[in-house]
Amino acid sequence: MRKTIGVRLTAPLLAATLGPAALLLAPVASAAADPAVALAAAPGMAAAPYEYLGWGNPQKPTDVMKATGVKWFTLAFILSDGGCNPKWDGSRPLTGGADEAAIKSIRAAGGDVVVSVGGWSGNKLGEKCSSASALAGAYQKVIDAYKLKAFDIDIEDTEFGNATVRQRVVDALKIVKAKNPGLVTYITMGTTPTGPDATGKDLIKRGAAAGLANDGWVVMPFDFGGHSGTMGQASVGALEGLKAAVKSAYGYSDDAAYRHIGVSSMNGKTDEAGETVTTADFRTLLGYAQQHHLARFSFWSVNRDRACGSGTDADACSGVAQSPYEFTKIVVQYQG
């Protein structure tokens, strides 16, 4: 999970790179040429904002659904319990608790969930599981617990920064994709204003070289450490860099590359002083997503999609003047 109010920092730049395996690129491009095909069977999946049920005074998901029309949520985060075993926050059981009850309530109201593994803090499964097959088994436990249609790997901090772990995550996800036909997968990571850093590009290249038909390579365009223009413009710049990296690694056309990338923004004040993502920035991203048919338009987080009161925890509000769920109401307009 993110530190303080949702930090998703990029790891130090690492120089390791892999050349794409040309023999594998063609089957990848054809196997997942258009994730919108999968999304068409699940309206609203492309717009699934994060909600964190562990802290941040979470709202009842069904109340959010009634207020905004949103159907899908990305629920975070699955972590290691200290070994190669998945639990919510590394401590709450997959079944029999409040998290499963929340998922059931969302589905009963006509919605569904993406489950996110990783985040900034805590023990990461990618590090605690010693092999790709073991990691795939941990992922599969989560998929089986909820019969998931979509799965998000939010790869950050030490899990992102270790080349061996990056490869393990890629290989594990490929195993999972083979075992679960039709499962939509996202890999979410930090970014610079010009696109993924050397570590992010390496991760994408490893995915292509492994033949991983990932549906959405997603960046988190905030906590930049400096940018020019509006945050909406900086986010578009980051996405253009991501598109170029995915196109290069996989050999996609421009259209196919756009359909295999996505954005997960942050609403309101971020972790950096002077960096604020406004509703106008979200509308910029909405237009961009609609123009290019991105795989995903999400944000961190529903918990923060309300104005702050006196003394309110910043994990539970945006820090800007807004009406309730103003950011969610923009995102829900995106349908893929």
Side-chain angles (χ1 to χ4, degrees):
M1 73 194 77
R2 300 136 187 87
K3 297 190 298 187
T4 62
I5 60 168
V7 69
R8 288 180 165 191
L9 300 177
T10 56
L13 299 184
L14 295 182
T17 57
L18 285 178
L23 292 177
L24 291 173
L25 296 187
V28 171
S30 61
D34 187 355
V37 173
L39 298 180
M45 183 190 290
Y50 285 79
E51 184 164 19
Y52 188 80
L53 300 179
W55 45 248
N57 189 23
Q59 305 94 324
K60 285 180 60 177
T62 50
D63 289 347
V64 182
M65 295 171 75
K66 291 175 185 176
T68 67
V70 71
K71 293 294 186 183
W72 282 74
F73 296 88
T74 303
L75 298 185
F77 284 108
I78 296 290
L79 290 167
S80 155
D81 67 352
C84 187
N85 192 52
K87 289 188 177 180
W88 290 104
D89 273 346
S91 60
R92 302 191 306 278
L94 295 181
T95 58
D99 301 278
E100 184 185 34
I103 291 172
K104 287 181 175 179
S105 72
I106 292 166
R107 288 175 168 168
D112 213 333
V113 300
V114 183
V115 169
S116 185
V117 175
W120 178 262
S121 302
N123 293 318
K124 312 297 198 305
L125 286 168
E127 294 175 289
K128 294 296 184 179
C129 297
S130 60
S131 67
S133 59
L135 180 57
Y139 291 163
Q140 192 65 47
K141 287 180 182 179
V142 182
I143 294 163
D144 290 345
Y146 309 117
K147 297 180 172 60
L148 294 177
K149 299 182 182 74
F151 194 62
D152 173 46
I153 307 296
D154 189 334
I155 184 165
E156 302 189 51
D157 195 28
T158 51
E159 192 175 35
F160 182 63
N162 185 307
T164 299
V165 176
R166 290 198 300 277
Q167 188 66 49
R168 186 180 299 149
V169 168
V170 163
D171 292 341
L173 200 55
K174 185 180 178 184
I175 293 169
V176 165
K177 291 282 280 187
K179 189 173 180 180
N180 302 271
L183 179 73
V184 173
T185 59
Y186 308 113
I187 296 177
T188 303
M189 59 184 146
T191 185
T192 77
T194 56
D197 64 13
T199 307
K201 290 176 182 176
D202 175 68
L203 179 61
I204 295 167
K205 288 177 181 178
R206 288 174 185 272
L212 173 63
N214 186 41
D215 296 284
W217 295 94
V218 184
V219 289
M220 301 176 284
F222 53 86
D223 292 347
F224 281 137
H227 69 280
S228 60
T230 67
M231 282 296 286
Q233 292 166 336
S235 298
V236 166
L239 285 162
E240 283 295 308
L242 174 65
K243 187 270 289 187
V246 171
K247 177 183 177 180
S248 174
Y250 279 86
Y252 289 144
S253 66
D254 283 326
D255 179 66
Y258 280 120
R259 292 173 184 266
H260 285 85
I261 69 168
V263 59
S264 181
S265 187
M266 186 172 180
N267 57 316
K269 291 186 181 297
T270 73
D271 308 287
E272 294 189 3
E275 189 183 88
T276 300
V277 186
T278 67
T279 52
D281 295 323
F282 265 49
R283 285 190 288 271
T284 294
L285 286 171
L286 173 62
Y288 181 87
Q290 290 171 331
Q291 177 185 358
H292 296 297
H293 305 287
L294 301 191
R296 193 178 198 213
F297 177 22
S298 183
F299 76 99
W300 179 269
S301 65
V302 169
N303 305 58
R304 306 182 71 249
D305 199 4
R306 50 195 166 187
C308 296
S310 177
T312 303
D313 181 358
D315 287 313
C317 59
S318 66
V320 299
Q322 66 159 101
S323 60
Y325 304 125
E326 193 169 349
F327 290 88
T328 302
K329 289 177 180 178
I330 294 170
V331 171
V332 76
Q333 297 176 50
Y334 187 60
Q335 294 297 311

